[in-house]
């Protein structure tokens, strides 16, 4: 019950984030590291990937698709971590200190939790709550 609820919540979060990437890419372009090639296309396709992953998470009966979506969103969260780090450094360098450590440090800590959550709610892993069954 908790896993299903969190799965829906995470799917809604990713679907909304994907929508925002597509309809208003500017805030994401501002925090994307300079070394990322074709930044506009990357932002667009990350939005598409977030929506696709969210839809995969919502599959109640297509277990393999749901697990694939969980792996995809976990990998996505890992790959966008440099943008979050870049955002923190850019923001903290502002004269007013930007959002400050109270925002950025929890965000950095949350990233591995989001990665784990995508894997757990999709059913890709059961850790730390129970051992994975070989029959699945």
């Amino acid at each position: 019950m908790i896993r299903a609820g969190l799965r829906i919540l995470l799917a809604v979060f990713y679907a909304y984030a994907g929508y925002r990437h597509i309809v208003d890419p500017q805030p994401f372009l501002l925090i994307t590291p300079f070394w990322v090639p074709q930044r506009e296309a990357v932002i667009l396709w990350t939005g598409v990937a977030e929506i696709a992953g969210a839809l995969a998470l919502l599959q109640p009966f297509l277990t393999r698709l749901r697990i694939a979506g969980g792996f995809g969103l976990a990998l996505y969260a890992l790959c966008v971590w440099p943008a979050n780090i870049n955002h923190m450094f850019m923001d903290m360098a502002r004269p007013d200190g930007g959002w400050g450590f109270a925002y950025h440090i929890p965000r950095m800590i949350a990233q591995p939790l989001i990665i784990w959550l995508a894997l757990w709610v999709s059913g890709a892993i059961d850790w730390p709550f129970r051992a994975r069954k070989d029959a699945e």
Side-chain angles (χ1 to χ4, degrees):
M1 184 85 139
I2 292 172
R3 184 182 268 189
L6 289 174
R7 183 166 44 90
I8 292 167
L9 185 64
L10 189 65
V12 168
F13 167 79
Y14 269 114
Y16 179 73
Y19 166 79
R20 298 298 307 162
H21 275 80
I22 294 167
V23 300
D24 188 17
Q26 194 57 38
F28 304 102
L29 288 168
L30 291 174
I31 67 169
T32 302
F34 70 91
W35 48 263
V36 173
Q38 300 180 17
R39 295 169 50 213
E40 292 84 2
V42 169
I43 298 302
L44 171 70
W45 287 107
T46 56
V48 171
E50 286 174 310
I51 292 169
L55 291 173
L57 278 186
L58 293 174
Q59 298 305 309
F61 303 112
L62 302 173
T63 304
R64 288 184 181 183
L65 178 59
R66 189 175 62 243
I67 289 172
F71 274 113
L73 290 173
L75 183 59
Y76 169 82
L78 179 65
C79 290
V80 299
W81 211 342
N84 295 341
I85 294 168
N86 188 56
H87 180 216
M88 179 176 71
F89 287 132
M90 287 173 45
D91 199 46
M92 297 303 294
R94 290 177 27 183
D96 65 356
W99 288 83
F101 284 119
Y103 168 77
H104 289 290
I105 297 302
R107 185 176 182 197
M108 292 299 108
I109 293 168
Q111 202 74 12
L113 295 174
I114 291 169
I115 292 168
W116 168 81
L117 187 62
L119 295 171
W120 184 71
V121 300
S122 71
I125 63 170
D126 289 323
W127 179 86
F129 302 108
R130 63 177 185 247
R132 184 90 175 127
K133 296 177 201 168
D134 292 335
E136 292 182 350

